[in-house]
Amino acid sequence: MLSEYLMIGEITKPQGVRGEVKARPCTCDPERFEGLETVYIEKDGGYAPLKIAVNRIGDDAVFMNVEGVNDRDAAEKLRGTRLFIDRAHAVELDEDTNFLTDLYGLHGLTDDGRDLGKLTDVMQPGGNDVYVFKGALGEVLVPALKSVVAKVDLEKGEMLLVGKRLDEVAVFDED
């Protein structure tokens, strides 16, 4: 089941003495924060709305004020707070593109019958993402290439991979 909320950032620290906070964006487009007035935070097993005012956006940081946070001490209490948006306000994705959060837990299968287990992590080292599957074959690192990933079926909870190409580019656990 797809999560109703998508993480878009995390507050990393207070900025100054008047309650402004610095957040690390968890989106490929930090400009996504432009005009955003409400985000959600995890609270009491659910999600609670949080009013924000974005002041400026950098390449790797978003600076904002949070309603009711007026000094450095109050801003410090928000350190580590993850920021979410509801799926209804998420950006539209191109065809054959998925939110990373939707990939976690997918079952990896190859077209030649191998079961790679569950997708447990997505590493982002630079050039392209790397999917980490854990299962009976141990840990398998799979580059997120169109030549490797044949199909992602979120409804079935499966990712179909091209076995022959996988053998050429994946890293298999040797244990």
Side-chain angles (χ1 to χ4, degrees):
M1 185 169 141
L2 301 179
S3 172
E4 184 180 344
Y5 295 90
L6 303 167
M7 187 170 135
I8 61 166
E10 179 178 0
I11 296 175
T12 58
K13 67 178 192 167
Q15 182 72 26
V17 296
R18 293 196 174 116
E20 186 178 51
V21 296
K22 178 180 178 182
R24 176 184 52 86
C26 298
T27 171
C28 52
D29 182 13
E31 296 297 320
R32 163 72 186 99
F33 282 84
E34 188 69 42
L36 199 58
E37 296 176 358
T38 302
V39 294
Y40 295 85
I41 59 170
E42 295 169 307
K43 187 173 182 181
D44 300 326
Y47 293 87
L50 189 68
K51 295 285 186 192
I52 63 167
V54 175
N55 301 324
R56 61 196 178 285
I57 300 171
D59 290 337
D60 61 352
V62 176
F63 299 91
M64 66 183 78
N65 285 96
V66 176
E67 185 175 71
V69 175
N70 300 313
D71 60 40
R72 186 173 184 85
D73 291 337
E76 179 63 44
K77 291 178 183 174
L78 294 174
R79 186 186 295 259
T81 299
R82 298 187 308 166
L83 307 173
F84 297 81
I85 57 166
D86 59 348
R87 198 171 281 272
H89 293 95
V91 296
E92 293 224 8
L93 297 177
D94 296 333
E95 189 176 334
D96 294 332
T97 304
N98 298 287
F99 292 111
L100 289 181
T101 191
D102 294 337
L103 300 178
Y104 290 98
L106 289 181
H107 201 90
L109 302 168
T110 64
D111 57 3
D112 57 10
R114 288 179 282 172
D115 184 338
L116 302 179
K118 297 279 185 201
L119 192 147
T120 60
D121 195 11
V122 179
M123 299 186 314
Q124 297 182 298
N128 56 278
D129 293 351
V130 176
Y131 299 144
V132 180
F133 289 92
K134 289 186 181 174
L137 298 176
E139 187 174 82
V140 182
L141 305 179
V142 179
L145 303 171
K146 288 184 179 186
S147 64
V148 178
V149 180
K151 182 178 180 185
V152 174
D153 189 332
L154 296 178
E155 288 182 19
K156 278 185 167 180
E158 294 179 349
M159 183 182 291
L160 181 64
L161 304 153
V162 179
K164 184 175 181 175
R165 185 73 174 117
L166 185 73
D167 292 337
E168 296 170 354
V169 297
V171 176
F172 292 86
D173 190 358
E174 296 295 326
D175 289 343

